[in-house]
Amino acid sequence: MWHGNIKIAVDFSENTSTELLPTTSGMIERCPRFRILVIGKVGVGKSSLIDHVFGVGTNTTVAHNQPGEADIDREFISSHNDKFVLHDSKGFEPGEEDNLNLVRDFINRRSAMPDLKDKLHAVWLCFQIPFAGGRFLETGAEKFLTWKRDGILGDIPVIVVLTKYDKLVDDIELNLDDSTDGLSDEAFKKLVKDNADMEIHDNCIGPLERSAGSDIPHATISTEAGYKETLASLIQLTEKHVSKHSTPEAAVMTSIAQRVHSGLKVETLIKVGKTRYWKALRSGPSFKNCQMWDCLDVLHTDIVEVWNFRDPHKYLRSQEFRKLILDMVDGTQVGPIADPDKTVTTRFSMVGTVASVLAGPAAPIVVPIVAGVVFGAWVYDVYQTSDVVLQRFMAYIAHLALVLRTLFIVSESQELTRRAIKLAVEFYLASPMCGEVVIRIQDHIRQLKVLERRDSDILNKIEEVVQFYKIDEAEMSKLREKLHGHLVDESW
């Protein structure tokens, strides 16, 4: 159609192209890093704390170890974990007002910044647990906490971190009298813990609440071996308060950045999944006119992003690793729903017992992967909602999340190798959990009635299956030993 000298063309054809973007990409664009300020005197254990919680290796972040060198405006970003940015401040020394005012001004300045990526998301105020009646709070720290209580520092979460808990435990053990000789190991440990908790309450929590009020969040931690759960509790507490006082993106990034709490990772990937694509598995609007491989790609990317492994070679995003996960799905769920009376895991050609995975020398790990990375034909089909498709997608999400949870615990923030990935895959496949996951998904699909199918049912079942998996710590210790004893990598 012509209008004057202008030709107008109207296209009534259907747009068959739908762009699929990972949910995490938008979140990371708005908040690419968890931004934290850590305050504490030299020797309190800040470097060790950061290294362990964020998995960046020894002394790779807080490089200044002498008083007076901390520059609060300097951004520390580790090449081993670029999902957090650290600001460091020395503690509040007696008689010094300059640093106290500097910290207050920095917090208020960051709070006023318009973009979420530039705002401060949390503050860790670190104190070493005092011994032998030593003073806990200096005047400057008391004033800072009073400012927080009175709202002068705004709503930025301030978490008090009581460090070197292990030293308090050791001190109590050494000073217990002979009356404990007849106690069992379990009773002795409980007695020590109760005494330590009492000392912390009397010497730390009491003074803390008098300055900051009863609702000041606090955590008691140690970075020594055997105390990892204290670090997990700290990051969980931090994420809780970031979620309360900041945006969902900042809370998600808090969890993505940390590398000590696998349960928090699981909770976060469920939160991310429920935001968009998991809801589309049943209704399909987000996946309309898309090949199933493209749908799997965004699901895979979101899950891998949340776990935030130290993976410079991007092995977890490789075609080979994706093929391993697809093999799990196809190995148990090709075609119609499987016969529930048959043992699902027997269909894996390489499945054995967990003991066989952990035994023997460091022979190459062989998992079933087709040469040339040839994918099943079904992944190239256009997405359509059906029982088989729904079952496959739910299985893909569950298998991937649980393999990565195994890998997270085993790798301990080390740089990923293909051997470590394959070992985690083999361990998970050989575990009874793998078959149980499939059975639970199949039972759920079978029990759904056509008129009762709701997106919420699918979301709840995926959440249940992913959170169901528990890893035996003794087996994990053996698996770590097997992995770390043979650091040489191998091909896919």
Side-chain angles (χ1 to χ4, degrees), residues 113 115 365 387:
M113 291 185 176
D115 294 332
I365 301 169
D387 285 348

Side-chain angles (χ1 to χ4, degrees), residues 331-332 338-340 342-348 434-436 438-439 442:
T332 55
D339 185 345
K342 295 181 180 179
T343 303
V344 176
T345 53
T346 59
R347 298 179 62 182
F348 287 103
C434 180
E436 182 66 26
V438 175
I439 290 172
Q442 291 175 341

Side-chain angles (χ1 to χ4, degrees), residues 22-93:
T23 304
T24 49
S25 65
M27 293 180 169
I28 292 173
E29 183 179 357
R30 291 186 290 274
C31 186
R33 295 182 176 92
F34 170 58
R35 187 178 295 273
I36 185 169
L37 168 64
V38 181
I39 306 171
K41 296 180 180 180
V42 172
V44 77
K46 291 185 294 181
S47 293
S48 181
L49 173 61
I50 293 297
D51 293 343
H52 282 78
V53 171
F54 298 105
V56 294
T58 305
N59 293 326
T60 58
T61 48
V62 183
H64 38 266
N65 295 314
Q66 297 182 12
E69 292 187 358
D71 178 1
I72 197 170
D73 285 299
R74 181 179 176 186
E75 297 183 344
F76 289 90
I77 300 173
S78 171
S79 60
H80 293 168
N81 183 357
D82 65 355
K83 291 300 187 291
F84 83 104
V85 54
L86 169 70
H87 294 271
D88 179 37
S89 171
K90 62 181 181 178
F92 306 120
E93 300 290 345

Side-chain angles (χ1 to χ4, degrees), residues 227-246:
Y227 293 89
K228 191 172 183 178
E229 75 281 356
T230 65
L231 302 178
S233 297
L234 169 61
I235 198 65
Q236 186 169 35
L237 180 67
T238 303
E239 191 273 346
K240 173 185 175 181
H241 284 272
V242 171
S243 179
K244 183 186 300 184
H245 296 292
S246 188

